[in-house]
Amino acid sequence: MVHDLAGIDFAALTTYAAIVAGYLLGSIPFGLLLTRVAGLGDIRAIGSGNIGATNVLRTGNKGLAAATLLCDLLKGTAAVFLGSAIGGADAALLGGVAAFIGHLFPAWLGFKGGKGVATFIGVALGLVWQAVTVFAVTWILVALITRYSSLAALVASIAATIAVFVFATPLVGAFFVIMTALVWFRHAENIRRLRAGTESRIGRKHAA
């Protein structure tokens, strides 16, 4: 660490900067912004009220949903790269996690954001790309077998986190455990519907 200029800890400052920048990046509500620019109104007023790509898809605009998914993913990756440039590996990790938190709990939307799957993948892409491969394969297999997108995402998040422990440090793995727990928390309604047998399947009309 660098301790200089009247005791200022520049390493700590760069880490804090990475966290703040990561949160700000993550809290950009691309689903809300893109649908408004496209003239589709407030995405929070339709379907599940979520700002993520799945709810954007309920507008019938697949291109807009794909753009939302990509933007929500890349903001996690961007936060990791920015953190790395600012303060190295630790700042990259914390910046990525902060982006994930920002997506889930954006201050400008009353801390009511998305469910975090796309940003989770984006953070993994920046930190442990192998985990993204594991996530994708697991998602596809579970989705093909069950036809439940939500269940596929939940199982894939666990598989990806296991992969993080294999390919990265225990510290990185610990943060992914926290992120996975938050993904599950934000999918509480989906889990209740899965248990009740009322969750929408892939290829059918989505329930609110």
Side-chain angles (χ1 to χ4, degrees):
M1 290 188 178
V2 178
H3 298 271
D4 205 351
L5 293 182
I8 296 175
D9 187 340
F10 285 99
L13 286 177
T14 55
T15 299
Y16 296 147
I19 292 171
V20 171
Y23 178 85
L24 293 175
L25 271 172
S27 63
I28 299 173
F30 283 109
L32 178 64
L33 296 175
L34 290 173
T35 49
R36 281 184 171 174
V37 169
L40 298 176
D42 191 336
I43 189 64
R44 296 170 295 178
I46 70 167
S48 66
N50 192 267
I51 63 170
T54 298
N55 205 39
V56 173
L57 186 60
R58 293 186 176 112
T59 66
N61 192 319
K62 294 181 180 179
L64 211 58
T68 300
L69 178 67
L70 183 62
C71 289
D72 284 347
L73 187 156
L74 289 179
K75 67 187 181 182
T77 308
V80 171
F81 288 165
L82 180 60
S84 179
I86 292 174
D90 288 346
L93 172 60
L94 293 174
V97 173
F100 175 78
I101 298 297
H103 178 75
L104 266 59
F105 308 109
W108 8 85
L109 298 182
F111 300 101
K112 297 177 181 179
K115 295 184 178 179
V117 175
T119 309
F120 175 97
I121 297 170
V123 174
L125 182 63
L127 292 170
V128 192
W129 65 266
Q130 298 93 333
V132 179
T133 301
V134 172
F135 184 101
V137 171
T138 304
W139 191 95
I140 291 169
L141 289 175
V142 176
L144 286 174
I145 293 169
T146 69
R147 309 300 296 174
Y148 287 123
S149 176
S150 59
L151 180 60
L154 292 169
V155 175
S157 68
I158 293 176
T161 298
I162 293 172
V164 171
F165 276 100
V166 173
F167 293 105
T169 67
L171 177 62
V172 177
F175 275 100
F176 270 84
V177 168
I178 295 171
M179 289 196 294
T180 296
L182 287 170
V183 166
W184 278 68
F185 170 75
R186 294 293 285 124
H187 281 78
E189 287 296 327
N190 301 87
I191 293 171
R192 279 192 279 271
R193 289 196 296 265
L194 284 166
R195 295 181 66 180
T198 59
E199 178 74 329
S200 296
R201 293 181 185 267
I202 297 172
R204 296 182 182 177
K205 293 290 184 180
H206 293 279

